[in-house]
Amino acid sequence: MQSTPRADIMPDRARPLALLLCAMLFASGCGYRLATGKPRGQLATVKTLAILPLDNDTLGFRIEQSLTAAVHQVFVARSPYRVQSVPEGADAILRGSVTQFYTSPVAFDPRSGRTTEVLLTVIMRLTLTDARPGQTLFESGDWTYREPYEVSQDPKAYFGENQPALDRLSRRMADSLVAMILEGAE
């Protein structure tokens, strides 16, 4: 069987434009990025940010530590601020508390009735204030994050997936918080 030559789909003069558009698409990534660079508005004068350890108003063991560490890491990596854990000498202070923490079964094995997937839910209250006048720069009363995870059905191969799920949730929450604070500061 003989193949017929294919006609050019794109004229020669349009190729540089198409290559430029493709390069721009690849350079832009997925289209969503966390803000970096210079903060605007009320946050323009902030140079040092104190991230205080979150309070834990729940019975969840050490969940506030994972959440606080993730927020600290993301602010260090993606913001122009000098980040510290004490309020003395800071221009702005981030405080918060974990108000609810619970897990809920969401999927079951139809044969055994055992839980196969669990949904981890964390609800927090966060406030960013200007250290000098005490003005609120950002506030969130009921910030909810959820992370599903699978439960092994084989007791011999069981691996506790709840901590890795909390770590993933902590990172997503921290990414969102930094983006919201840096992009939303008008």
Side-chain angles (χ1 to χ4, degrees):
M1 179 172 217
Q2 188 175 4
S3 65
T4 57
R6 203 176 96 184
D8 250 351
I9 297 173
M10 186 181 311
D12 287 337
R13 66 179 181 257
R15 286 183 191 191
L17 180 60
L19 287 172
L20 177 64
L21 287 172
C22 286
M24 288 172 54
L25 282 173
F26 284 118
S28 68
C30 65
Y32 180 79
R33 287 182 223 216
L34 293 176
T36 56
K38 293 189 108 175
R40 305 175 305 266
Q42 296 172 321
L43 292 176
T45 61
V46 174
K47 303 287 184 248
T48 303
L49 173 64
I51 299 174
L52 303 185
L54 294 173
D55 293 330
N56 186 356
D57 300 338
T58 73
L59 297 177
F61 181 66
R62 296 172 46 163
I63 58 170
E64 76 284 358
Q65 292 177 8
S66 177
L67 293 162
T68 302
V71 169
H72 192 276
Q73 289 168 356
V74 174
F75 264 110
V76 166
R78 299 199 175 143
S79 78
Y81 307 125
R82 185 175 152 264
V83 178
Q84 60 189 42
S85 58
V86 294
E88 292 78 32
D91 300 316
I93 303 167
L94 181 67
R95 292 180 172 89
S97 62
V98 180
T99 58
Q100 293 183 47
F101 171 78
Y102 54 91
T103 57
S104 308
V106 292
F108 301 91
D109 181 345
R111 289 174 293 196
S112 68
R114 291 179 138 182
T115 300
T116 58
E117 187 175 352
V118 173
L119 185 65
L120 172 67
T121 303
V122 174
I123 302 174
M124 294 172 290
R125 188 175 345 131
L126 299 165
T127 306
L128 178 67
T129 55
D130 190 327
R132 291 163 291 236
Q135 178 184 10
T136 299
L137 303 172
F138 170 83
E139 187 168 27
S140 178
D142 284 326
W143 219 20
T144 303
Y145 271 84
R146 293 179 178 89
E147 182 69 30
Y149 64 92
E150 292 184 18
V151 177
S152 174
Q153 295 303 301
D154 181 8
K156 294 178 203 161
Y158 178 76
F159 173 73
E161 179 60 25
N162 54 342
Q163 186 59 47
L166 178 60
D167 293 342
R168 289 189 305 271
L169 180 144
S170 298
R171 180 62 187 217
R172 279 190 319 108
M173 181 278 302
D175 285 339
S176 295
L177 177 65
V178 172
M180 191 175 295
I181 288 174
L182 294 180
E183 291 174 2
E186 292 295 334

